[in-house]
Amino acid sequence: MKIIELASHPLAWTAIVVGSLVITHSPEVRAADPFPPVSPEGLQLQKDTTLRAVYLKPGFTLAPYKRVAILDCFVQFAPDFQRNYNENEPDLDGQITASEMTKITTELAAEFKQVFTQELQANGGYPVVDSAAPDVLVLRPAIINLVVTAPDLMTPDMSATVVSSAGQMTLYLELYDSMANTLLARVIDPEADDSPMAQAADSVTNKMAADRILRRWADILRKHLDAVRGQAASSPAAAPVAN
């Protein structure tokens, strides 16, 4: 059975996220996070997680899921990104256009699918499928608050822009049961590029920076799936019967 495409990502609940998250991991900022203990859907905020905010449906476990389906990733720049960027760029040739922003969001959405497929399927052994089944977990991803410090606009100017960080973005990921279309979990995590040294910004270095962040998110999900798989393999019911 083909997975029913969920409605385009409304991001209705990101009002508490957009404009309020600071890219930092200090305990002081984490303590002031604006996340309520229970989401509008009844998901419960988890404590002491690697990611900034993790909400789970009571009783939710990854144990039944051996395969994943990855919906198209919704990508949205930070509010007023275009205006703020262009205000600091007096040269019209160096200003970013709406079509260039669309190109960036389209490429980042495709990169999300590629990185998560690589990490979950090729590295983790969790087949990526497009059909519903009891063991299929649906990922409904979005990247919001996207900021690219120095987009590669392919201008005639050959000068290089050196940056200490390629930018930042926030993951907004929802997990659904593929059979019931039931929301099981929601993850919200802002990340900034933390390159070890300043470097020239171009399409290659920007992609590398995005990949580092995407791989971290995909690796966290894979490790959670691995942990559940390991627990199942070591349980008495899963142990081989002695001869």
Side-chain angles (χ1 to χ4, degrees):
M1 179 174 64
K2 187 83 169 180
I3 288 177
I4 298 174
E5 183 72 19
L6 296 168
S8 59
H9 225 303
L11 296 177
W13 206 55
T14 58
I16 65 168
V17 179
V18 176
S20 65
L21 285 178
V22 179
I23 305 299
T24 178
H25 298 285
S26 69
E28 294 78 8
V29 172
R30 289 185 65 89
D33 278 348
F35 300 108
V38 180
S39 79
E41 305 87 355
L43 305 184
Q44 296 180 348
L45 181 65
Q46 306 301 296
K47 296 181 179 180
D48 302 322
T49 58
T50 303
L51 302 167
R52 177 65 65 84
V54 176
Y55 283 86
L56 300 180
K57 180 180 179 180
F60 167 63
T61 173
L62 287 169
Y65 303 105
K66 306 299 186 292
R67 297 180 292 169
V68 295
I70 306 175
L71 302 183
D72 291 341
C73 183
F74 173 88
V75 181
Q76 184 179 71
F77 274 91
D80 299 324
F81 169 79
Q82 183 181 27
R83 184 186 67 185
N84 294 338
Y85 182 88
N86 289 342
E87 283 180 350
N88 295 314
E89 180 52 67
D91 185 354
L92 291 179
D93 287 339
Q95 295 188 354
I96 189 167
T97 65
S99 62
E100 287 164 336
M101 291 174 63
T102 298
K103 180 175 183 292
I104 291 172
T105 59
T106 300
E107 290 176 348
L108 183 55
E111 194 67 13
F112 183 99
K113 183 73 169 284
Q114 179 175 327
V115 169
F116 268 68
T117 298
Q118 171 71 28
E119 184 63 32
L120 295 175
Q121 181 169 276
N123 298 345
Y126 304 97
V128 175
V129 300
D130 62 1
S131 298
D135 67 342
V136 173
L137 180 70
V138 178
L139 310 187
R140 187 191 191 196
I143 291 174
I144 59 174
N145 287 348
L146 174 63
V147 173
V148 182
T149 305
D152 190 348
L153 305 180
M154 304 299 290
T155 60
D157 183 4
M158 297 301 291
S159 61
T161 301
V162 178
V163 299
S164 58
S165 172
Q168 64 191 49
M169 55 186 175
T170 296
L171 174 68
Y172 187 97
L173 176 67
E174 294 179 340
L175 307 182
Y176 286 80
D177 179 89
S178 68
M179 297 296 288
N181 279 344
T182 302
L183 177 63
L184 304 171
R186 175 181 288 122
V187 171
I188 303 170
D189 190 56
E191 286 292 335
D193 172 46
D194 56 355
S195 301
M197 62 184 68
Q199 59 184 350
D202 55 32
S203 59
V204 174
T205 57
N206 285 342
K207 178 178 179 295
M208 290 172 60
D211 280 357
R212 283 193 293 271
I213 297 174
L214 294 174
R215 287 196 190 98
R216 174 181 178 271
W217 288 330
D219 181 66
I220 290 172
L221 176 58
R222 179 187 58 77
K223 286 179 177 177
H224 279 289
L225 288 165
D226 286 349
V228 172
R229 183 166 59 184
Q231 292 168 5
S234 62
S235 67
V241 178
N243 292 326

